Amino acid sequence: MQGLMQNWPLRVSSIIDHAARYHGGREIVTRSLEGPIHRYTYTDLRRRAKRFASASSQLDLRPGDRVGTLAWNTYRHLETWYGLMGAGLVCHTLNPRLFRDQLAYIARHARDRYLLLDVGFVELAEELQDACPEIRGFVLLTDRAHMPATRLRGAVCYEELVEAGDPDFEWVPVDENAAAGLCYTSGTTGNPKGVAYSHRSNVLHALAVNGGDALGLRCTDSVLPVVPLYHANAWALAFSAPMAGAKLVLPGDRLDGQSLYELIEAEQVDFTAAVPTVWLALLEYLERERLRLSSLRRVVIGGSAVPQVMLEKFERDYGVEVVHGWGMTEMSPLGTLATLKPELLDAEPEERLRTKLKQGRPIFSVDMKIVDDAGKELPWDGESFGHLWVRGPGVVDSYLGGEGGRILDDEGFFHTGDVATIDAQGYMHITDRSKDVIKSGGEWISSIELENAAVGHPDVAEAAVIGVAHAKWDERPLLIAVPREGRSPDPRDLLDFLRGKVAKWWLPDAVVFVDEIPHTATGKIQKQALRERFEEFRLPEDSGD
Ligand code: AMP
């Protein structure tokens, strides 16, 4: 017997319809690139997204065509998401922090037909256009008054397009499995690969993310997505916040500590999300200026592991709850969140802290397993670590263009490339990316744990640990650290500090101080670049014994 319920297609347009119909007056506040704060509502956003969607026919675009965006988090960028997806087009967010050649590769590979961009990226786009002949034209996300002189072919002013568009445009009724968004993996090795989110996967993922025990956004929240719209599907916030009717606060291009603090206070933000480096800057600013946070209640931190000192500062010094999250571009992107189960609520503070520092347990719609090198499943004892695999309706099935061939195992699990433990309560803890793990005498040393312990030292701003060749042990850890401004810590002192915090045989064999640690375009430490830089580094012969 079939169920007798309505077959309501899961399309992204229903999210913005819902927001405009039931939370129409709720605000979207942007620190505009031109300077002033811009305010309007979900009703306005939907109307303008419809105008833009109707105007896309003037651009000679057909459903399924890809349109790239090179833009910061602003109301205009968000409008283009809903406008493009509502017109049956595929919104392809490009990360402007990538190298030009990588961007050109991605835009060509995706066969982007148009590129929408902030005025600040005109020069970058001018360089791209020669390498990407398939891009027919460029739309500048600004008004007539701010249109720059440019040699971009067919450059159009976004506001003029929107003005000419039809506010009553009917969303294109695409199949719920049609592609809505496209995002390339950061590709630290090999070429970046395209992950095509469908309308259905986006709606299901936003519903899962809004579960009460997940991020559970509410219409009373004021949400600041510092995570860029171009990073990993914006951690689902572009869908989950409107779905809940939450106020949205968009930071534009000013992501420094002071600008974020001012926006949080002015807009009474109670929920925000970003990678650890962003929070490092905010915490430093708060400490330096001796400021308090009056409204912030929860901060979601992911993309890299949360250092213990960061979690403690937020929770103890500022009364802000930290939610550690893990995910990937290939997972829409949220996989796990470290929220506490009932049995942990009354646990000793130590145990609660240990759990909150893990990457967390899966949200509904994500299933995971860890396996050894031979593919055998490992127990969930919090000790055995192995390769982490995941599956679910928001997990990639194959990369765009079939790159990389078949990427699922026989049970439909996708290999994350992370190495992790899972404990008896289902909390997953990442010890490393598989290619970063340090193999010493046949045993594995977690570079992430060493890094987190090292940044607990009061004179250390940032730390990275890599494996370097060792005659006896194959590899031993080298700690590379950036001192805090005005401090010059002693390597021996740093090693003493680590003693007792990690297993004795994990202690790095050497410490070097550097001015800066290189980061990827999404804020992760570039281990490969460090390995190349320290390729010639020689450890003392008797180290590691
Ligand atoms: P991306 O697709 O750029 O979001 O990168 C995904 C990868 O980032 C994951 O496979 C992990 O290696 C890493 N990652 C994300 N969140 C965390 C976290 N909370 N702790 C450690 N690594 C993380």
Side-chain angles (χ1 to χ4, degrees):
M1 178 183 164
Q2 287 283 307
L4 296 173
M5 307 311 283
Q6 299 180 8
N7 187 1
W8 195 68
L10 301 178
R11 288 190 201 108
V12 163
S13 49
S14 10
I15 297 177
I16 203 62
D17 284 349
H18 177 85
R21 201 163 154 82
Y22 300 104
H23 305 277
R26 200 70 173 126
E27 271 186 320
I28 296 155
V29 181
T30 303
R31 189 196 290 281
S32 73
L33 303 177
E34 293 85 7
I37 295 288
H38 173 277
R39 294 174 185 279
Y40 73 173
T41 63
Y42 279 120
T43 307
D44 301 322
L45 185 142
R46 176 170 175 270
R47 197 178 298 128
R48 283 169 51 91
K50 286 202 162 213
R51 283 177 177 272
F52 176 61
S54 90
S56 63
S57 55
Q58 283 176 33
L59 301 177
D60 190 22
L61 289 165
R62 305 263 168 276
D65 278 351
R66 269 77 72 197
V67 176
T69 69
L70 262 182
W72 297 108
N73 289 10
T74 68
Y75 66 100
R76 288 193 180 114
H77 194 185
L78 192 60
E79 285 167 6
T80 67
W81 274 47
Y82 281 101
L84 292 171
M85 296 181 198
L89 298 162
V90 183
C91 175
H92 175 198
T93 47
L94 288 149
N95 182 341
R97 290 188 169 134
L98 289 173
F99 292 120
R100 196 207 50 186
D101 287 353
Q102 227 173 0
L103 277 174
Y105 169 86
I106 291 174
R108 268 199 315 268
H109 188 269
R111 309 186 63 183
D112 288 341
R113 292 280 185 250
Y114 261 81
L115 195 58
L116 317 180
L117 61 135
D118 286 337
V119 171
F121 297 126
V122 163
E123 259 176 49
L124 179 58
E126 284 174 347
E127 289 176 17
L128 283 179
Q129 74 171 343
D130 303 328
C132 306
E134 285 196 55
I135 301 181
R136 289 193 206 123
F138 296 80
V139 177
L140 281 96
L141 297 172
T142 191
D143 54 19
R144 174 57 45 202
H146 292 87
M147 273 296 275
T150 169
R151 62 180 185 83
L152 286 174
R153 56 181 165 257
V156 199
C157 167
Y158 176 74
E159 285 299 334
E160 288 186 356
L161 272 182
V162 168
E163 228 162 84
D166 173 7
D168 297 320
F169 174 80
E170 296 275 336
W171 300 128
V172 175
V174 288
D175 184 276
E176 65 174 16
N177 285 302
L182 179 61
C183 189
Y184 276 67
T185 58
S186 5
T188 41
T189 48
N191 279 324
K193 297 185 189 67
V195 178
Y197 308 111
S198 64
H199 283 263
R200 176 185 143 86
S201 69
N202 276 333
V203 172
L204 287 177
H205 191 61
L207 282 168
V209 162
N210 267 350
D213 230 6
L215 299 187
L217 294 182
R218 313 184 63 161
C219 65
T220 44
D221 284 323
S222 174
V223 175
L224 169 70
V226 183
V227 52
L229 285 167
Y230 58 74
H231 182 203
N233 212 14
W235 298 8
L237 292 171
F239 303 124
S240 55
M243 191 180 263
K247 171 177 168 178
L248 264 175
V249 182
L250 303 172
D253 60 352
R254 291 184 33 199
L255 309 183
D256 59 285
Q258 177 172 354
S259 304
L260 290 180
Y261 168 76
E262 287 169 3
L263 206 52
I264 289 169
E265 287 302 306
E267 300 305 327
Q268 290 291 286
V269 168
D270 65 347
F271 178 100
T272 181
V275 295
T277 41
V278 166
W279 304 125
L280 195 66
L282 177 72
L283 288 171
E284 273 184 6
Y285 176 74
L286 295 177
E287 273 171 47
R288 201 171 52 239
E289 303 295 324
R290 297 175 183 279
L291 296 164
R292 311 293 320 153
L293 291 163
S294 68
S295 57
L296 196 60
R297 296 283 163 266
R298 276 191 300 163
V299 53
V300 176
I301 312 182
S304 303
V306 178
Q308 179 173 338
V309 1
M310 180 171 286
L311 188 143
E312 285 177 331
K313 272 190 191 160
F314 265 123
E315 299 211 333
R316 190 190 54 211
D317 300 351
Y318 297 98
V320 176
E321 183 193 348
V322 168
V323 182
H324 188 189
W326 165 86
M328 20 182 0
T329 305
E330 286 92 332
M331 298 181 69
S332 290
L334 263 159
T336 59
L337 291 165
T339 48
L340 294 182
K341 283 181 151 183
E343 51 270 42
L344 284 156
L345 288 177
D346 298 324
E348 291 297 313
E350 283 283 295
E351 193 184 348
R352 290 162 53 105
L353 177 70
R354 257 201 319 277
T355 308
K356 290 187 69 132
L357 285 170
K358 294 187 176 188
Q359 276 66 17
R361 55 199 173 85
I363 57 172
F364 172 72
S365 77
V366 171
D367 188 16
M368 60 185 186
K369 66 175 180 184
I370 42 172
V371 304
D372 65 13
D373 282 344
K376 191 169 131 300
E377 246 196 283
L378 293 167
W380 292 15
D381 55 12
E383 303 264 315
S384 316
F385 52 90
H387 307 285
L388 178 65
W389 293 68
V390 290
R391 66 179 172 192
V395 177
V396 68
D397 184 70
S398 56
Y399 288 113
L400 187 63
E403 294 284 324
R406 188 175 138 78
I407 53 172
L408 307 186
D409 71 4
D410 289 345
E411 294 177 313
F413 281 89
F414 166 76
H415 184 199
T416 62
D418 288 324
V419 175
T421 62
I422 304 177
D423 68 20
Q425 287 164 320
Y427 287 90
M428 184 273 287
H429 184 201
I430 294 203
T431 56
D432 249 315
R433 279 303 281 170
S434 34
K435 57 186 186 313
D436 295 337
V437 79
I438 300 162
K439 293 184 176 149
S440 172
E443 302 270 7
W444 290 8
I445 295 178
S446 160
S447 64
I448 296 185
E449 275 191 40
L450 281 172
E451 287 156 8
N452 280 347
V455 294
H457 189 286
D459 293 346
V460 173
E462 202 180 8
V465 176
I466 55 168
V468 288
H470 189 283
K472 181 167 169 193
W473 301 106
D474 291 337
E475 271 186 343
R476 289 294 304 157
L478 166 68
L479 170 59
I480 302 158
V482 180
R484 276 185 152 223
E485 226 180 290
R487 309 286 176 86
S488 37
D490 181 318
R492 268 169 316 191
D493 178 46
L494 185 48
L495 287 175
D496 281 343
F497 176 80
L498 293 178
R499 244 178 268 279
K501 297 194 171 62
V502 295
K504 193 159 159 262
W505 63 278
W506 281 28
L507 278 182
D509 290 32
V511 179
V512 282
F513 289 104
V514 294
D515 293 338
E516 208 182 331
I517 284 176
H519 290 100
T520 66
T522 49
K524 298 187 211 306
I525 293 174
Q526 256 180 343
K527 294 273 173 89
Q528 188 50 30
L530 287 175
R531 278 193 285 265
E532 282 162 23
R533 179 167 164 198
F534 290 95
E535 207 180 342
E536 302 293 318
F537 190 89
R538 290 287 163 262
L539 294 168
E541 294 249 318
D542 59 347
S543 72
D545 286 338

